[in-house]
Amino acid sequence: MWATNKIDVHHHPAPANYTAAMKRTSGIWPVASSWTVDKSLEDMHLGGVTTAILSVPGTPDPALAREWNEHMARLRKDHPSRFGTFAALPARDIDASLREIEYAFGQLEADGIGLMTNCGDKWLGDPHYAPVLNELDRRRAVVFVHPAVADCCKPFVTNESYFQPTELPADTTRAITRIMFSGAARRYPNIRFIFAHGGGTVPFVLERLARMPTRSPEVAAAVPDGVEHELRRFYYELAQASHPGALAALTRMVPASRLLFGTDYPFRTSDEHARAIEGYGFDAADLKWIARDTAVELIPRLAHAVGSR
Ligand SMILES: [Zn+2]
């Protein structure tokens, strides 16, 4: 296999209190309800992953976010070189989110923060998020952005719906668009945003996005160096975006030094992503960026775990 010491930046644990909460709200896939830490470690072994950065979807409930963050922190403490954490925030509640940021970095030694693309009817970049983004910018935080179904789409996008594969990448595109065109990307330049799933549909709709500054003075002011320039400042992980067509579009948008290995485990596996990325035809240097170098640049403590092979 092309690298045996990869870092998976998109890996979901599903502790019991998570599956119980999901059953109450949006439902849960059977594969997640049978998760154990040993299954995570087995998947990592099969795909040559040394370290997986854990994240769970955000929740409106501050107490539940705290429980999940403490659970992930315990996994990291039990397996310090095998796991890292992106702490979840209850993003509808800004004061609780600010408290959770303080706790996650101060007490739990989180490697970054996990945010969802929306908190119901507001997408990242909306003024609602300003205090949170301001604090994350001050801390120069790594922020992993994962899609969620927005309120507007919940009537027709369920876990069983065949619209889910279209809606989740679309919501990532909405969040990236909002962050760029609201001016948030430039207002908070120290946040290192990682977008899930290869940036949703952004690489494919880039032509339309790049024309927006010509249609709106407000958008033009938000991206004075152009859309492509802003997109090259972000990072993108490759879970569920390792198809040759997706990789072709994404690699025309950003260099490999902005790409990270990711799996979306337990919904997908590290082995299948490793094979797909290896089969695409990247050169050795680019594969090294994707496997670990980009992740180590963002989270330097991981250098100790994965070395420089
Ligand atoms: Zn995921």
Side-chain angles (χ1 to χ4, degrees):
M1 196 172 293
W2 52 280
T4 55
N5 49 351
K6 300 183 196 69
I7 297 165
D8 172 5
V9 299
H10 185 165
H11 191 110
H12 301 302
N17 57 0
Y18 165 80
T19 55
M22 288 295 110
K23 277 178 187 156
R24 285 197 304 273
T25 54
S26 58
I28 187 162
W29 295 70
V31 69
S33 63
S34 62
W35 174 87
T36 65
V37 67
D38 286 340
K39 285 185 179 177
S40 276
L41 291 167
E42 174 67 8
D43 179 78
M44 292 158 66
H45 170 71
L46 292 174
V49 172
T50 296
T51 306
I53 312 298
L54 306 171
S55 57
V56 293
T59 165
D61 181 346
L64 203 51
R66 174 64 56 91
E67 275 183 44
W68 293 350
N69 290 336
E70 290 186 330
H71 181 91
M72 291 194 290
R74 277 196 298 279
L75 290 175
R76 178 186 148 164
K77 199 168 170 215
D78 291 345
H79 309 270
S81 65
R82 307 308 309 277
F83 294 123
T85 59
F86 291 141
L89 300 185
R92 289 180 195 230
D93 184 335
I94 291 298
D95 288 341
S97 293
L98 291 170
R99 284 195 296 276
E100 201 59 29
I101 292 170
E102 176 71 33
Y103 187 73
F105 286 122
Q107 305 297 316
L108 301 180
E109 299 183 332
D111 295 297
I113 294 294
L115 275 171
M116 308 309 282
T117 45
N118 70 74
C119 62
D121 60 353
K122 299 180 182 68
W123 283 267
L124 271 180
D126 186 279
H128 166 79
Y129 289 92
V132 164
L133 295 182
N134 196 47
E135 176 61 11
L136 294 173
D137 185 73
R138 188 184 72 78
R139 292 175 178 271
R140 306 180 66 82
V142 175
V143 175
F144 176 54
V145 181
H146 191 285
V149 178
D151 286 354
C152 57
C153 300
K154 281 183 177 161
F156 63 94
V157 184
T158 63
N159 277 348
E160 293 75 30
S161 161
Y162 51 59
F163 287 128
Q164 206 190 45
T166 64
E167 176 52 27
L168 292 176
D171 211 69
T172 297
T173 302
R174 288 188 196 108
I176 292 173
T177 303
R178 186 81 170 116
I179 289 168
M180 281 197 302
F181 294 163
S182 68
R186 293 184 73 85
R187 211 156 35 247
Y188 310 110
N190 299 311
I191 297 177
R192 277 86 55 80
F193 284 109
I194 302 171
F195 291 101
H197 308 134
T201 62
V202 163
F204 200 80
V205 300
L206 177 56
E207 183 176 341
R208 287 172 180 265
L209 293 175
R211 286 172 52 79
M212 282 305 294
T214 67
R215 297 174 54 187
S216 158
E218 187 187 340
V219 168
V223 289
D225 298 318
V227 169
E228 286 99 332
H229 174 87
E230 290 304 321
L231 291 171
R232 281 194 293 270
R233 294 177 51 234
F234 301 145
Y235 296 83
Y236 307 85
E237 64 82 24
L238 300 179
Q240 313 228 35
S242 60
H243 180 275
L247 292 174
L250 188 56
T251 53
R252 292 296 291 264
M253 191 174 89
V254 294
S257 57
R258 294 278 156 170
L259 303 180
L260 302 116
F261 185 78
T263 66
D264 224 341
Y265 185 82
F267 305 104
R268 297 285 301 277
T269 70
S270 59
D271 179 60
E272 60 183 334
H273 285 89
R275 289 177 194 279
I277 293 166
E278 182 178 29
Y280 178 69
F282 287 106
D283 65 25
D286 284 354
L287 285 175
K288 195 158 169 288
W289 277 113
I290 293 167
R292 58 187 171 275
D293 286 358
T294 310
V296 168
E297 202 170 84
L298 291 171
I299 308 171
R301 80 167 183 92
L302 297 180
H304 180 68
V306 297
S308 58
R309 278 178 293 153

